[in-house]
Amino acid sequence: MKRSRFTQEQIIGVLKVHQAGATAADLCRKHGISDATFYTWRSKYGGMEVSDARKLKGLEEENAKLKRLLAEQMLDVATLKENAGKKLLTPGSRRAAVTWAITQKNYSQRRACGLVGLEPKTYRYACKRPGEGEIRARLRVLAGERRRFGYRRLVSPLRGQTLLAREGMRLNHKRLFRLYRDERLGVRKRGGRKRALGTRSPMALPEAANQRWSLDFVSDALANGRRFRVLTVVDDFTRECLGLVADTSLSGLRVGRELDCIIERRGCRPLTIVSDNGTELTSHAILRWQEERSVLWHYIAPGKPQQNAFVESFNGRFRDECLNEHLFSSLAAARRIIEAWRVDYNTERPHTSLDGLTPAAFATRPNQGHTENGLCL
């Protein structure tokens, strides 16, 4: 737009002279303007003061600025829609979007970077790393040959002489994991967890002590909030609590050691042990233990705790009468209180299913004894 050679103050001054009595023709001839220009001035600035003209100029400038911003915003929206696709999550994808906006839409570099949320210095950065094509190709070959190998055994230099390390490719493990992930070489997880093999036939009720023991775990927390677990071992015939082992971690090896201690204390091994399918009780350590001790291990059906009813019933009493009644300040205090409760349960607490006898008294009755199966030590 051509800029006027008259300022707003001069135009308002001319209009004031006209209001004072001068004719329009004289004013046009004096200032060298046409009649159309004069009447345009009068329609726009007639009756205004200089301050009013300045305010009008400010409003016009602000309006022009808003129109320009709106036009740019609409253009940015149209550009983003035209470049619609995957989300711009990585610097590489954002850099490609900036390049497209600059070349195809004539954006400036700064404006294109602001459009996708990328710093201009990040866009201008030139990578100085060597090419990764050879490493990527070798990764794909190794992953095809060893389909069940994860990235640690394929690429991680922290695990010693791995496949890539043997070929002299010693790179940062984080970079190698990034390449492994970019190539989509992750190992697919197989189906559900394998259950340990064991007897699944209906079980008969025990007829003597040490014929069948039941195992399970109970969880609780100390006063400081730290969780711990308790391994519960019950003789299904005498209802005796053979062991309550409390610790923050109870692995399959630890369970085997505790069972050995109970067997040594009682002088007799059980014929059968019943448990659920927990990872500690289906581990290789437990399978090896029951094979070496010649003990039959029966796993209940998944999701059927009623098949291990004796120890589940005991766990309810144990939680109600001991765990819920005490606040354990430490693990040592928990072990002391739990062991005292176990002794009381076996020797003092009457059991309704045993005609009011305690488990220890029921186990020492004259007509009750250990199994005559050659397992007694």
Side-chain angles (χ1 to χ4, degrees), residues 132-270:
E132 299 174 341
E134 181 182 357
I135 301 176
R136 290 176 181 269
R138 188 56 185 157
L139 271 178
R140 290 193 294 268
V141 172
L142 290 176
E145 294 174 354
R146 307 279 185 172
R147 293 184 298 174
R148 300 310 299 174
F149 275 21
Y151 87 97
R152 294 184 182 276
R153 283 196 284 180
L154 283 177
V155 303
S156 177
L158 300 181
R159 297 296 295 270
Q161 291 296 324
T162 53
L163 298 182
L164 278 182
R166 294 172 186 172
E167 301 177 6
M169 298 183 183
R170 295 185 177 274
L171 300 175
N172 183 277
H173 68 283
K174 292 183 288 185
R175 180 186 175 193
L176 287 170
F177 176 68
R178 175 178 57 82
L179 299 178
Y180 178 83
R181 185 177 54 188
D182 290 345
E183 294 297 324
R184 300 180 182 275
L185 301 177
V187 180
R188 289 180 175 271
K189 292 185 178 181
R190 297 191 185 275
R193 176 170 59 89
K194 292 183 178 179
R195 307 292 181 177
L197 298 178
T199 60
R200 293 298 175 96
S201 57
M203 297 183 63
L205 293 176
E207 298 179 353
N210 297 314
Q211 277 193 355
R212 191 172 72 199
W213 294 357
S214 297
L215 273 66
D216 203 359
F217 290 94
V218 180
S219 298
D220 204 354
L222 301 177
N224 58 9
R226 187 178 183 184
R227 305 292 299 180
F228 70 93
R229 306 179 73 194
V230 182
L231 171 66
T232 59
V233 185
V234 176
D235 188 308
D236 290 355
F237 180 74
T238 64
R239 310 297 200 275
E240 291 176 277
C241 177
L242 306 182
L244 289 175
V245 183
D247 210 332
T248 54
S249 176
L250 293 169
S251 63
L253 288 173
R254 176 70 181 280
V255 172
R257 290 199 302 268
E258 295 298 335
L259 290 176
D260 285 335
C261 293
I262 295 174
I263 291 173
E264 183 178 358
R265 185 171 64 247
R266 290 179 68 83
C268 198
R269 295 195 299 270

